Amino acid sequence: SQQGEEDPQALSIQEGENATMNCSYKTSINNLQWYRQNSGRGLVHLILIRSNEREKHSGRLRVTLDTSKKSSSLLITASRAADTASYFCAPEETSGSRLTFGEGTQLTVNP
Amino acid sequence: DGGITQSPKYLFRKEGQNVTLSCEQNLNHDAMYWYRQDPGQGLRLIYYSQIVNDFQKGDIAEGYSVSREKKESFPLTVTSAQKNPTAFYLCASRGQFGSTEAFFGQGTRLTVV
């Protein structure tokens, strides 16, 4: 089954710096989604990028997709302590019914 | 308010007992999902349902059962056959199959005592 692999597993930065997380996947996708999870809570959807898109922005978030390399990246600019969370990618196969996640990237933003 | 609700937030189970976790949504979503999350780990798909009266096994369905008798509800039963049930369980729902965002409940933390 399709599942993204996030890299790095953990990332620690200072407030104000940019944070970049990567996601790799194995087969053709219809779209790829990024989610955020605060400790002990449910996931919250951040952004969806379709297979025919290369880049998408939402506020301080920038997502890129390279289907030839089967990879995506999530950039958070000017990070804040409140951005501390786990971030998951969810590549979605063309069949579109399953929704699976990898192990995530644990981001810590130090004040 | 529209949303997805899981209950209870905390659940304690004695070994050998079955327990049922509730998941209800009023978003008129067709698809619903159950995940298990162990400490410091990612989400693993247990079961999912695309439509009422139909559901499919995910990656770790053994020891779990579900039903989808109503569009709004997708309860998960953790049976005594699940040997290591202590975990954080998350339910999610979304609209038409694929290409839509999923909405998650706040989770149920199950502990075997």
Side-chain angles (χ1 to χ4, degrees), chain A residues 16-108:
Chain A
E17 294 180 339
N18 294 344
T20 299
M21 288 156 270
N22 302 297
C23 171
S24 60
Y25 57 91
K26 292 186 172 60
T27 64
S28 296
I29 61 170
N30 186 41
N31 67 75
L32 186 142
Q33 303 181 42
W34 283 92
Y35 289 79
R36 164 197 169 122
Q37 183 184 32
N38 285 69
S39 182
R41 308 296 295 273
L43 276 67
V44 175
H45 181 264
L46 294 176
I47 196 165
L48 180 153
I49 187 165
R50 300 188 189 283
S51 59
N52 61 354
E53 297 176 310
R54 292 296 167 259
E55 187 170 313
K56 203 163 181 179
H57 297 252
S58 176
R60 292 185 296 112
L61 304 180
R62 172 178 167 250
V63 169
T64 62
L65 179 64
D66 187 335
T67 53
S68 66
K69 294 182 179 177
K70 292 186 169 58
S71 67
S72 173
S73 67
L74 171 67
L75 168 68
I76 304 174
T77 60
S79 63
R80 306 165 182 167
D83 294 328
T84 295
S86 291
Y87 292 81
F88 296 89
C89 70
E92 193 156 20
E93 292 174 358
T94 51
S95 61
S97 56
R98 293 170 59 98
L99 187 64
T100 57
F101 299 86
E103 296 296 311
T105 292
Q106 171 61 53
L107 172 66
T108 302

Side-chain angles (χ1 to χ4, degrees), chain A residues 1 3 30-31 33 35 37 40-45 48 50 88 92 95-104, chain B residues 33 35 37 40-43 45 48 50 57-59 88 90 94 97-102 104-106 109:
Chain A
S1 62
Q3 184 171 308
N30 186 41
N31 67 75
Q33 303 181 42
Y35 289 79
Q37 183 184 32
R41 308 296 295 273
L43 276 67
V44 175
H45 181 264
L48 180 153
R50 300 188 189 283
F88 296 89
E92 193 156 20
S95 61
S97 56
R98 293 170 59 98
L99 187 64
T100 57
F101 299 86
E103 296 296 311
Chain B
Y33 305 80
Y35 299 90
Q37 187 175 35
Q41 304 295 312
L43 279 68
L45 182 63
Y48 62 103
Q50 300 178 55
K57 292 182 179 179
D59 300 318
F88 187 52
L90 284 165
R94 64 175 177 170
F97 320 143
S99 300
T100 61
E101 65 178 282
F104 281 77
Q106 291 304 301
R109 191 167 299 279

Side-chain angles (χ1 to χ4, degrees), chain A residues 4-21:
Chain A
E5 290 186 16
E6 295 89 351
D7 174 69
Q9 286 188 335
L11 180 60
S12 181
I13 60 174
Q14 295 300 120
E15 213 165 21
E17 294 180 339
N18 294 344
T20 299
M21 288 156 270

Side-chain angles (χ1 to χ4, degrees), chain B residues 1-88:
Chain B
D1 288 336
I4 179 165
T5 303
Q6 289 186 242
S7 61
K9 190 170 182 179
Y10 299 96
L11 187 57
F12 297 88
R13 188 195 95 170
K14 292 183 179 179
E15 285 194 29
Q17 285 183 337
N18 292 356
V19 288
T20 297
L21 283 59
S22 170
C23 180
E24 303 275 335
Q25 53 97 1
N26 60 4
L27 300 166
N28 199 33
H29 285 167
D30 290 302
M32 297 187 74
Y33 305 80
W34 272 107
Y35 299 90
R36 170 183 172 135
Q37 187 175 35
D38 292 288
Q41 304 295 312
L43 279 68
R44 290 186 287 170
L45 182 63
I46 305 173
Y47 268 98
Y48 62 103
S49 168
Q50 300 178 55
I51 200 166
V52 175
N53 293 323
D54 187 48
F55 49 83
Q56 287 79 40
K57 292 182 179 179
D59 300 318
I60 56 164
E62 186 174 349
Y64 300 97
S65 67
V66 293
S67 63
R68 186 84 189 276
E69 296 176 2
K70 298 187 299 181
K71 189 174 187 178
E72 302 80 16
S73 178
F74 192 40
L76 173 74
T77 297
V78 184
T79 75
S80 56
Q82 171 50 239
K83 297 307 176 190
N84 185 22
T86 295
F88 187 52

